[in-house]
Amino acid sequence: MDIRKLICLLAVMVFSLSACHKDLGDYDINMPTEPEVTTLDSVYTAVVGDSLIIDPGIKAPAGAEIELSWKISVMIGNDVTYTGPKMKIIFGLAAQRYNARLTIHNKTNGMKYYHKFTVSGATDFESGTTVLSVEDGVTQFSFIKRDGTMQARLYKAMQGKDLPVDPRYLFLLRNKQSGGVLLGYWIITKNGGVRLEPNTMAPHDRYPNTFSENFFTAPDDLEIGSLMEHEQGVMMGVINGKFYGGTTSTWDQAGTYGMFGLPADGDYELAPSFTMAVTGPGTYFIGFDRNRKQFVRINLYGAPMYFGTQYSVEGASIFDPMNVGMDLVKIVQLNNADCYAYVKGPEGKLYELKFNVNFTGPFTFRSQQKREFIRPDLVTADTKWQGAKNGVIYIASGSKVVRYNPVNEEIRELATNFGGKPITMLKLSEDEETLMVGTENTIWITNITTGANGSLIRKIEGIPGNPVDVENR
């Protein structure tokens, strides 16, 4: 190739490169106009059972066909999805935080735009007082907010049906060994009961919702003698004269947690009243065999195990726990040590037995005292009892409440006058500084701190019927 052709070829290449560079600079990329979101917040609070409405305030480009879709992500269960210009749902999730996303779809050009936000579930039931009562023979469940607003007859209003008859207990179960995880309300009646999710007051979606469903194999008939709440958030007690304990051998979020297996195996029939002591890693019970008229021992080893009279005795000359020879009226437990049993002899006299039990080491029943009860007139089928850790016993009989000190047999009537109405409920607060007393349509909250002697703090009025039990949250 001669020199002139080479120069011409190089000149063409330089011109071409220059032209290409100039051409690239002449083009503008025109992206589609993004829909404008004007009012979407980063966090929304949604009240359980109430409407959740979110209007993102979309301004769409001219001529664009816009579709909005929404998703609330749920770790356990199905995600909540909705399609529409505004999210409009009844919020039915648990009271916790959820990641959520709005998707804007421009159907004209196929573009999609994503906007993240958070939904924080809340509930009207997070704080307040639940009340179990009986009104003209109908069991009622009501909720009182902290501001005093009452949602009376709540179960009937939400479920459209009545609760089982003859209410006995109201439990708000929580696993105290795992940070107080709430496991639900149990409304217990003489022959059954129902469970409610604590944040929605609706049937629980994870656990059994009726008392009979809470058995792996339910007895043909159910008669509940008495139940207590164990610190692991399960119920334990006397059913059909046998001792049952809710299972704790699985994760407390598993559907079988708290269910009843077989009762403690043995030849016995328990009176309703019993004691429960939690000492170190162990849980121990003292019951009363109504046929043999003797105190019996039950230990919890994953499930309740019946040991009967497999214990040693100190003080058998005071009274023999293996041969009491009288009918049990009530056991009142003050703490893990001191207990009082009220028993009726064949001649009709009422006796007070004091005892305590050494649960560790050799299992020892210590009989400490036997005497006639100073006020047998206070004890009827409707008498209510509450034992306090400070050593006193509160007794409600008729329309009065007395403070009984068994050390010196002092009996003092509380300062509050309950209006002459029969007392249907007696319950100590968890800190044992107040005593809640129920009469028709009213709960009286009294001060039982040192020197107060049950003076009135306040009243809650408007309760449907007669209060039976109460729980504060």
Side-chain angles (χ1 to χ4, degrees):
M1 179 183 296
D2 60 30
I3 190 63
R4 288 178 298 176
K5 288 182 178 182
L6 180 58
I7 292 172
C8 290
L9 181 59
L10 289 173
V12 170
M13 290 176 63
V14 171
F15 177 79
S16 298
L17 289 171
S18 176
C20 289
H21 177 74
K22 183 177 180 181
D23 187 54
L24 287 172
D26 285 344
Y27 282 97
D28 292 323
I29 300 175
N30 297 317
M31 295 295 293
T33 302
E34 182 175 342
E36 183 181 356
V37 181
T38 61
T39 58
L40 186 68
D41 293 331
S42 59
V43 179
Y44 288 88
T45 298
V47 176
V48 176
D50 205 350
S51 298
L52 172 61
I53 302 174
I54 303 176
D55 182 0
I58 301 297
K59 293 183 178 178
E65 181 184 356
I66 297 296
E67 180 182 76
L68 305 187
S69 59
W70 309 76
K71 183 174 77 170
I72 301 175
S73 298
V74 180
M75 290 186 65
I76 300 176
N78 297 322
D79 292 343
V80 176
T81 58
Y82 184 82
T83 300
K86 299 178 184 178
M87 174 176 255
K88 294 182 180 180
I89 62 170
I90 300 298
F91 187 77
L93 300 175
Q96 59 190 51
R97 291 176 71 89
Y98 301 91
N99 294 324
R101 187 179 71 184
L102 164 64
T103 301
I104 304 173
H105 182 196
N106 187 338
K107 301 179 74 173
T108 303
N109 58 22
M111 295 292 290
K112 290 185 178 181
Y113 307 90
Y114 302 98
H115 297 269
K116 295 181 179 180
F117 60 99
T118 299
V119 175
S120 180
T123 173
D124 285 338
F125 307 122
E126 284 183 302
S127 179
T129 300
T130 47
V131 180
L132 182 64
S133 61
V134 57
E135 180 182 34
D136 297 326
V138 179
T139 304
Q140 301 291 1
F141 177 72
S142 305
F143 183 77
I144 305 167
K145 299 180 182 179
R146 288 299 184 194
D147 64 3
T149 304
M150 180 181 297
Q151 294 173 270
R153 306 171 187 87
L154 182 64
Y155 184 87
K156 179 64 177 289
M158 293 184 67
Q159 306 303 321
K161 58 184 178 181
D162 289 329
L163 286 159
V165 299
D166 202 352
R168 297 292 182 86
Y169 305 103
L170 174 61
F171 295 115
L172 176 57
L173 298 182
R174 61 183 81 220
N175 189 348
K176 296 177 182 177
Q177 293 189 7
S178 62
V181 175
L182 287 176
L183 300 173
Y185 286 99
W186 268 109
I187 298 168
I188 302 297
T189 61
K190 180 179 179 180
N191 302 112
V194 299
R195 185 178 199 150
L196 300 177
E197 203 284 325
N199 292 315
T200 64
M201 300 303 188
H204 219 299
D205 61 358
R206 188 179 304 147
Y207 304 103
N209 287 312
T210 67
F211 197 80
S212 60
E213 291 172 348
N214 203 54
F215 289 80
F216 290 106
T217 303
D220 292 335
D221 299 300
L222 286 171
E223 183 171 349
I224 297 167
S226 61
L227 294 171
M228 291 186 188
E229 177 188 354
H230 187 266
E231 65 175 18
Q232 288 180 266
V234 302
M235 295 178 291
M236 298 189 176
V238 181
I239 304 169
N240 295 347
K242 299 296 184 181
F243 199 88
Y244 284 83
T247 180
T248 59
S249 58
T250 186
W251 182 40
D252 62 17
Q253 299 301 298
T256 56
Y257 190 82
M259 289 183 64
F260 299 119
L262 295 174
D265 186 37
D267 179 17
Y268 64 94
E269 183 183 352
L270 294 180
S273 196
F274 68 96
T275 73
M276 177 172 67
V278 181
T279 60
T283 301
Y284 310 92
F285 308 92
I286 296 294
F288 190 84
D289 187 332
R290 65 200 324 171
N291 292 332
R292 295 180 175 86
K293 303 184 190 307
Q294 61 185 198
F295 290 97
V296 293
R297 163 193 171 191
I298 299 166
N299 288 18
L300 186 67
Y301 296 124
M305 295 187 66
Y306 178 75
F307 284 84
T309 55
Q310 294 181 42
Y311 53 80
S312 59
V313 179
E314 293 180 2
S317 60
I318 300 173
F319 71 88
D320 183 359
M322 298 184 186
N323 185 24
V324 176
M326 293 181 277
D327 295 320
L328 180 69
V329 176
K330 182 71 175 179
I331 301 178
V332 179
Q333 181 177 2
L334 304 184
N335 43 55
N336 274 353
D338 295 328
C339 299
Y340 289 84
Y342 296 86
V343 294
K344 183 169 287 188
E347 78 287 358
K349 289 183 179 180
L350 188 67
Y351 294 88
E352 179 183 76
L353 310 178
K354 181 184 179 183
F355 65 91
N356 66 34
V357 178
N358 177 34
F359 296 105
T360 58
F363 202 103
T364 306
F365 190 108
R366 299 190 181 100
S367 302
Q368 296 179 308
Q369 179 178 281
K370 176 185 176 182
R371 65 188 178 193
E372 286 190 43
F373 182 45
I374 191 172
R375 288 289 304 274
D377 57 296
L378 293 174
V379 183
T380 69
D382 296 323
T383 297
K384 316 297 179 192
W385 309 73
Q386 284 283 286
K389 292 185 178 71
N390 64 2
V392 303
I393 300 172
Y394 295 94
I395 305 172
S397 181
S399 61
K400 296 180 179 180
V401 179
V402 300
R403 180 186 186 275
Y404 170 54
N405 186 341
V407 173
N408 57 12
E409 297 184 285
E410 178 191 48
I411 289 183
R412 183 186 304 174
E413 187 175 334
L414 294 196
T416 298
N417 183 323
F418 300 105
K421 294 183 178 181
I423 291 166
T424 62
M425 184 196 82
L426 195 66
K427 188 162 187 176
L428 282 167
S429 62
E430 192 169 346
D431 59 11
E432 298 197 354
E433 293 186 353
T434 61
L435 181 69
M436 293 169 280
V437 181
T439 63
E440 183 182 11
N441 304 130
T442 306
I443 294 176
W444 311 68
I445 301 174
T446 65
N447 184 352
I448 55 170
T449 56
T450 302
N453 191 37
S455 58
L456 183 64
I457 298 174
R458 62 187 177 94
K459 294 191 293 184
I460 302 174
E461 299 180 289
I463 306 297
N466 296 324
V468 174
D469 204 352
V470 63
E471 279 281 3
N472 291 314
R473 181 181 176 188

